[in-house]
């Protein structure tokens, strides 16, 4: 080993490790956000009542941005300002390159006696701005006053 260092040779193991690390970095930077990560971010915004971020992450064909903003504001600030839930992402089912279904368990009215997890799905579509949730495909049972 000492002979290799003096003669300027590099260990094959070192080259493989460096190539592996560079490969991981390239994959992480080029792949963008995963659908499950986007769904988790959306649900976090929903739990926090962040209607502006919910609007930005929503896909609602034919609904103007300002109208969708007003509907999310109503849902989070008027219809359900104290609604609490917890969620856990359970899996992803890729339908196409541009559309994915993320399924999760949601416990509505979390923290109350008798609350229990229920299965729900989010339909995500890939756009030029990243993954967006199809609001019209969301179950109306999951959250009170969802935009329509």
């Amino acid at each position: 080993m000492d002979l290799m260092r003096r003669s300027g040779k590099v260990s094959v193991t070192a080259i493989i490790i460096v190539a592996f690390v560079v490969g991981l970095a390239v994959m992480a930077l080029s792949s963008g956000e995963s659908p499950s990560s986007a769904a988790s971010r959306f649900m976090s915004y929903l739990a926090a009542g962040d209607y502006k971020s919910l609007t930005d992450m929503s896909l609602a064909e034919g609904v103007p941005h300002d109208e969708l903003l007003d509907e999310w504001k109503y849902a989070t600030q008027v219809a359900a300002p104290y609604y609490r839930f917890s969620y856990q992402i359970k899996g992803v089912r890729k339908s196409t390159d541009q559309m994915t279904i993320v399924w999760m368990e949601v416990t509505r009215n979390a923290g109350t006696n008798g609350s229990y997890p229920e299965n729900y799905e989010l339909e995500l579509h890939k756009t030029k701005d990243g993954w967006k949730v199809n609001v019209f495909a969301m179950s109306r049972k999951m959250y009170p006053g969802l935009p329509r």
Side-chain angles (χ1 to χ4, degrees), residues 19-34:
F20 180 73
V21 170
V22 169
L24 284 177
V26 167
M27 286 188 327
L29 293 174
S30 66
S31 65
E33 185 177 33
S34 71

Side-chain angles (χ1 to χ4, degrees), residues 117-137:
E118 299 173 86
N119 294 318
Y120 290 99
E121 295 180 342
L122 288 181
E123 181 181 303
L124 285 91
H125 293 262
K126 192 167 198 166
T127 68
K128 64 179 173 59
D129 299 323
W131 291 101
K132 295 196 178 234
V133 175
N134 181 354
V135 179
F136 298 145

Side-chain angles (χ1 to χ4, degrees), residues 48-148:
D50 184 349
Y51 60 90
K52 291 178 183 176
S53 296
L54 285 167
T55 303
D56 292 339
M57 282 198 72
S58 295
L59 182 66
E61 295 291 326
V63 179
H65 184 270
D66 291 342
E67 185 178 328
L68 186 60
L69 180 71
D70 290 343
E71 289 187 34
W72 273 122
K73 186 174 183 179
Y74 174 80
T76 58
Q77 308 299 308
V78 177
Y82 305 109
Y83 184 71
R84 298 295 171 249
F85 65 90
S86 62
Y87 69 94
Q88 182 177 11
I89 304 292
K90 290 300 198 174
V92 176
R93 182 177 65 236
K94 188 173 188 175
S95 299
T96 67
D97 289 341
Q98 300 300 312
M99 196 273 285
T100 300
I101 303 293
V102 175
W103 72 90
M104 67 190 114
E105 283 184 350
V106 176
T107 303
R108 297 181 298 147
N109 299 311
T112 62
N113 290 335
S115 60
Y116 55 91
E118 299 173 86
N119 294 318
Y120 290 99
E121 295 180 342
L122 288 181
E123 181 181 303
L124 285 91
H125 293 262
K126 192 167 198 166
T127 68
K128 64 179 173 59
D129 299 323
W131 291 101
K132 295 196 178 234
V133 175
N134 181 354
V135 179
F136 298 145
M138 291 176 68
S139 171
R140 302 284 294 163
K141 289 181 177 180
M142 190 169 77
Y143 193 89
L146 287 174
R148 280 289 172 208

